[in-house]
Amino acid sequence: SEQKVLTSPQNPLLKEIRRAIEHGELTSDGFAVAEGTHLLEEAFRSRCEVPVVLVSETAQSRLTLAPPAGTPQVFRTSVGEV
């Protein structure tokens, strides 16, 4: 899927992800946040449902697997770490 760039720290998706991480909870849609390229790549290999991928500009270069076809949304953040 096409990659979009998130540039605002006030982006609603980034705020939702941060809230879930800070509180150790699922997102409002019921998804868990998995941090790190290793966990993301394992999810891809295991064919887990991955509805959204957020990757920082620095971490993008460390990914060895691309999101599988059909991953609905891929975002690159330019606002530092999520």
Side-chain angles (χ1 to χ4, degrees):
S1 69
E2 184 179 326
Q3 200 174 88
K4 300 173 183 99
V5 179
L6 303 181
T7 58
S8 171
Q10 298 305 313
N11 179 283
L13 178 60
L14 289 176
K15 289 172 77 172
E16 170 73 11
I17 297 297
R18 284 189 190 111
R19 183 201 59 74
I21 292 170
E22 288 171 6
H23 295 251
E25 299 174 347
L26 300 176
T27 65
S28 59
D29 292 333
F31 290 101
V33 177
E35 296 183 78
T37 56
H38 175 75
L39 289 175
L40 178 61
E41 291 175 346
E42 282 301 315
F44 292 161
R45 282 188 199 97
S46 301
R47 302 191 192 284
C48 291
E49 179 183 0
V50 180
V52 175
V53 174
L54 293 175
V55 62
S56 68
E57 291 177 318
T58 55
Q60 187 173 16
S61 65
R62 293 191 303 264
L63 282 175
T64 58
L65 291 177
T71 300
Q73 299 180 22
V74 178
F75 297 100
R76 181 170 47 87
T77 65
S78 62
V79 292
E81 298 304 313
V82 175

